[in-house]
Amino acid sequence: MPDIEAVLNPWAEELTGATAGAETPDDLETQLPVIRIERGGGADDRFSGHSRVFVDVFAATADEARTLSNALRDALLFLRGPVNGAVIRNVRCDSGPSRLPWANEAIHRRGATYTVSLRAA
């Protein structure tokens, strides 16, 4: 089964031009905006996976974080077909983009949760 983080992070980076990865960089403040997409559970069966993914956007302003997280949501909901070694079957938004706290109050964070159904290409 394809690694959902390896499928979606390069896709998000190409789509937005922002740095994307499964972990936040140590120098987050200097790389904004940053997208973090990580698997947080889900189910796999013989032929497909149904990964729950957490998508966090970190930005210098609340408006930038909101705009980028909404754009990612819209793109994810329409994402179908081959992507980075996987075939995306469906994307469901379980919890839409919302403001979340971060240790450094100068960084604005918005997070959302999705279920991505995919299979190997």
Side-chain angles (χ1 to χ4, degrees), residues 7-120:
V7 171
L8 291 182
N9 278 302
W11 168 83
E13 195 165 284
E14 183 178 332
L15 176 75
T16 65
T19 300
E23 298 180 14
T24 52
D26 291 336
D27 59 344
L28 176 64
E29 296 84 0
T30 65
Q31 294 192 35
L32 299 174
V34 170
I35 300 165
R36 179 178 65 191
I37 301 175
E38 60 183 338
R39 182 180 173 140
D44 292 328
D45 56 37
R46 188 171 177 186
F47 299 107
S48 59
H50 311 281
S51 300
R52 172 167 277 202
V53 294
F54 302 120
V55 178
D56 289 309
V57 170
F58 302 90
T61 68
D63 284 342
E64 183 181 26
R66 183 176 38 258
T67 299
L68 186 53
S69 62
N70 287 339
L72 273 171
R73 178 198 56 216
D74 293 346
L76 277 165
L77 290 176
F78 286 101
L79 186 62
R80 301 287 184 281
V83 178
N84 297 323
V87 176
I88 306 294
R89 293 181 168 176
N90 187 52
V91 178
R92 181 182 75 219
C93 182
D94 299 318
S95 177
S98 57
R99 186 174 174 215
L100 297 171
W102 191 247
N104 180 344
E105 291 184 9
I107 296 175
H108 298 269
R109 176 184 173 203
R110 293 191 71 90
T113 305
Y114 302 88
T115 299
V116 181
S117 297
L118 72 160
R119 65 174 176 80

